[in-house]
Amino acid sequence: MGVAEVFTEFGDIYLQSVLSTWLMTAVCFAGGLLLGIVATVMRVSPLKPLRVVGDVYVQLFRNIPTVSLLVIFVYALPYLGATLPYRTCLIACVILIVSAFASENFMSGINAIGVGQIEAARSIGLSFTQIIRHVVIPQSLRTTVLPMTNLLIATLLTTAMGSQVPLKPPELTGMVNYVNSRSVAGISAFVVSAICYAGTSVVLGFLGNLLDKKVRIIR
Amino acid sequence: MAEEYAGPIIQMRHVDKHFGQLHVLKDINLEVAKGEVVVLIGPSGSGKSTLCRTINRLETIDSGEILFQGVKLPEEGKELAALRAEIGMVFQSFNLFAHKTILDNVTMGPVEVLHRPRKEAEAEAMELLARVGVAEQAAKVPAQLSGGQQQRVAIARSLAMHPKAMLFDEPTSALDPEMINEVLDVMVELARQGMTMVVVTHEMNFARRVANRVVFMADGQIVEQNTPDEFFDHPQSERAKDFLDSIKGH
Ligand SMILES: Nc1ncnc2c1ncn2[C@@H]1O[C@H](COP(=O)(O)OP(=O)(O)O)[C@@H](O)[C@H]1O
Ligand SMILES: [Mg+2]
């Protein structure tokens, strides 16, 4: 079975799996960014215990393989009485891991701000939360567009973990198994999925570059 | 209320501070009256910046006390933020918010801290920018301005808070020589209008023109203080003499 036949025969469900991959990527990335902001705010807060919790959190989820985390969610959590749907497990795992990397990106963005601006903000009477909101977050978001684009692409690729659990519709990698268990597509199914991943990544990379040019802070 | 407070705006009593083993402020006693302009001068590392920064509590102190308008500086939280809103600070490195336009740099404090309506804050910001001569730059971002322009914006940003006193930490030291005067002129004007100012600077002409008092620091101590003409023409201590020789040398 060639690439073209894979398309004609499984076109519909391929479309669904592409959409499923895109949707999970979007949800995981958005969730990861939000959680990454929370972790980062903890890591720069004036309270030592919060900083420690934030640091430990990031170290933990930055250094654990996604597959291990997924195993914990799928097989270990039920022992604690929490049986979550497979898709929820997957999304939660990816969000946790993405948030750790997002926080690392934010930290480098924050380091670029410089203590002087923070002191200037303090000396006009802005509170810690106001400084975070009006100076730290906007600047670190705007200086980290490129690394965040890379993280978005990594998120896309990480959703391939979805092939390790039954999902309906499957995502792009699970789709390979789906196709090959129903017909003899061989390498073609892989090629189609790879094209979808690569195409998406190229577009995201391009958009990331555009956005970076638009919002980058001139220093 | 505070408006009627007639005593010294800033009072420092027996203030001591260490950075680790380093004793950076040693028994500092200093009062600054309303409308007074005090120039702090002294060798690098003598503690001038630290002294300045303790006044709005960007640095904490180990012992002694600092009063602003007769009230001890609050330790933290809302009260501290409110105090800082009343004391302007201008830094050597300008420290404008890099992601905001010049106009937004000036309106951030009034809008976020004083909760002024944005329109009103913008109108006043434009007046202030005009006053310091950078109104045409309002829509640009800091990196598009020269150092002298940025420092004038930083002054406008402080003024927008209607501060009761202003601290200047070497405001012209990072500037190219041809831009120093445009900043000093703004400061002279401020002094003439009665602003209470503590200025760390080695600009002797500025000191002579507007300072009521020059305070000379060395090794964390106030070594001597006098009117500018007396200080520059007849320094008392050896340290002040040596220091003045060294800065007159270039
Ligand atoms: N944050 C800090 N940590 C440790 N030492 C510091 C810090 N800030 C300043 N110092 C030291 O304190 C001394 C006084 O510094 P500073 O107040 O900046 O002096 P000046 O402004 O007169 O040059 C210097 O020896 C300086 O190295
Ligand atoms: Mg200094």
Side-chain angles (χ1 to χ4, degrees):
Chain A
M1 208 179 198
V3 170
E5 284 122 317
V6 169
F7 261 123
T8 44
E9 189 155 334
F10 296 99
D12 265 3
I13 183 144
Y14 247 113
L15 187 64
Q16 283 182 41
S17 82
V18 171
L19 291 178
S20 158
T21 292
W22 284 351
L23 187 64
M24 275 197 291
T25 303
V27 170
C28 292
F29 187 65
L33 279 191
L34 282 180
L35 213 52
I37 288 180
V38 174
T40 310
V41 170
M42 291 172 77
R43 292 171 82 189
V44 299
S45 86
L47 302 175
K48 180 105 193 269
L50 280 186
R51 289 203 299 271
V52 171
V53 172
D55 285 339
V56 169
Y57 172 89
V58 168
Q59 286 308 321
L60 185 65
F61 291 112
R62 197 182 58 157
N63 294 315
I64 192 168
T66 320
V67 67
S68 315
L69 195 58
L70 189 59
V71 165
I72 292 172
F73 266 81
V74 172
Y75 295 110
L77 280 191
Y79 281 107
L80 303 173
T83 311
L84 300 172
Y86 288 121
R87 193 176 292 271
T88 310
C89 288
L90 175 67
I91 290 176
C93 288
V94 181
I95 285 181
L96 288 173
I97 286 170
V98 169
S99 70
F101 284 95
S103 176
E104 290 293 81
N105 287 349
F106 281 132
M107 289 302 273
S108 73
I110 289 174
N111 289 335
I113 297 175
V115 70
Q117 284 186 62
I118 308 294
E119 290 189 336
R122 286 161 79 194
S123 50
I124 57 175
L126 292 173
S127 66
F128 173 75
T129 17
Q130 286 175 320
I131 296 173
I132 294 289
R133 229 180 84 206
H134 297 292
V135 182
V136 175
I137 292 181
Q139 287 203 37
S140 65
L141 278 177
R142 288 172 60 175
T143 45
T144 54
V145 172
L146 292 181
M148 287 302 182
T149 306
N150 291 337
L151 183 59
L152 174 57
I153 291 171
T155 308
L156 167 76
L157 302 182
T158 307
T159 60
M161 271 297 141
S163 60
Q164 305 304 305
V165 291
L167 290 182
K168 222 176 179 181
E171 44 61 61
L172 273 170
T173 303
M175 189 59 197
V176 175
N177 301 336
Y178 180 92
V179 170
N180 280 334
S181 64
R182 279 164 186 76
S183 62
V184 199
I187 195 107
S188 301
F190 278 103
V191 171
V192 172
S193 288
I195 288 171
C196 292
Y197 280 122
T200 309
S201 300
V202 168
V203 171
L204 291 178
F206 176 76
L207 293 177
N209 272 327
L210 277 189
L211 183 63
D212 177 61
K213 289 215 175 67
K214 204 167 137 58
V215 304
R216 178 184 287 173
I217 297 162
I218 325 166
R219 292 187 196 269
Chain B
M1 282 287 302
E3 302 298 328
E4 290 152 29
Y5 176 80
I9 299 264
I10 299 163
Q11 291 165 279
M12 303 179 75
R13 295 184 192 146
H14 303 296
V15 170
D16 270 271
K17 173 162 185 81
H18 293 77
F19 281 119
Q21 296 292 310
L22 194 65
H23 200 168
V24 279
L25 295 180
K26 298 173 186 162
D27 192 29
I28 299 291
N29 291 281
L30 182 69
E31 291 198 347
V32 182
K34 191 164 196 288
E36 196 180 13
V37 176
V38 171
V39 160
L40 268 182
I41 195 168
S44 168
S46 57
K48 307 177 299 293
S49 297
T50 308
L51 191 159
C52 230
R53 293 159 56 85
T54 60
I55 296 173
N56 67 354
R57 222 166 191 282
L58 282 180
E59 301 286 357
T60 55
I61 58 176
D62 300 340
S63 58
E65 59 179 5
I66 302 179
L67 290 82
F68 187 71
Q69 301 195 109
V71 181
K72 216 173 157 205
L73 299 191
E75 308 237 312
E76 55 191 25
K78 277 206 166 65
E79 294 77 29
L80 180 57
L83 167 97
R84 287 184 176 141
E86 297 202 312
I87 307 178
M89 178 136 196
V90 175
F91 303 83
Q92 178 174 345
S93 48
F94 330 135
N95 298 343
L96 295 179
F97 306 125
H99 63 307
K100 294 273 184 193
T101 63
I102 296 308
L103 183 64
D104 289 344
N105 262 274
V106 181
T107 57
M108 171 130 45
V111 170
E112 301 301 333
V113 178
L114 305 178
H115 307 293
R116 302 265 310 274
R118 182 170 296 277
K119 277 269 166 324
E120 211 179 292
E122 285 181 353
E124 190 186 346
M126 286 311 298
E127 278 170 31
L128 287 169
L129 289 173
R131 192 164 137 200
V132 300
V134 287
E136 326 75 63
Q137 320 291 337
K140 295 188 181 163
V141 293
Q144 294 169 305
L145 270 59
S146 72
Q149 290 172 325
Q150 288 191 54
Q151 194 61 297
R152 286 180 283 152
V153 174
I155 294 173
R157 176 174 66 179
S158 285
L159 288 176
M161 300 299 292
H162 299 280
K164 303 271 174 24
M166 287 182 76
L167 312 169
F168 294 81
D169 189 2
E170 304 210 29
T172 58
S173 302
L175 298 176
D176 294 334
E178 72 272 19
M179 291 175 190
I180 290 177
N181 280 327
E182 65 193 45
V183 171
L184 290 179
D185 288 346
V186 169
M187 292 168 60
V188 168
E189 200 45 46
L190 267 180
R192 298 247 156 92
Q193 287 160 3
M195 177 62 77
T196 307
M197 297 162 63
V198 175
V199 187
V200 179
T201 184
H202 293 166
E203 295 294 332
M204 265 192 268
N205 288 332
F206 171 82
R208 282 186 196 266
R209 274 170 80 193
V210 300
N212 301 97
R213 188 154 44 115
V214 173
V215 172
F216 175 73
M217 280 185 82
D219 285 333
Q221 280 169 310
I222 295 180
V223 177
E224 63 175 279
Q225 40 184 318
N226 216 326
T227 59
D229 289 340
E230 268 307 302
F231 175 78
F232 290 121
D233 298 336
H234 310 288
Q236 302 296 309
S237 61
E238 282 308 311
R239 308 212 51 166
K241 284 177 196 162
D242 289 348
F243 174 73
L244 288 175
D245 285 345
S246 77
I247 60 169
K248 277 170 188 155
H250 54 250

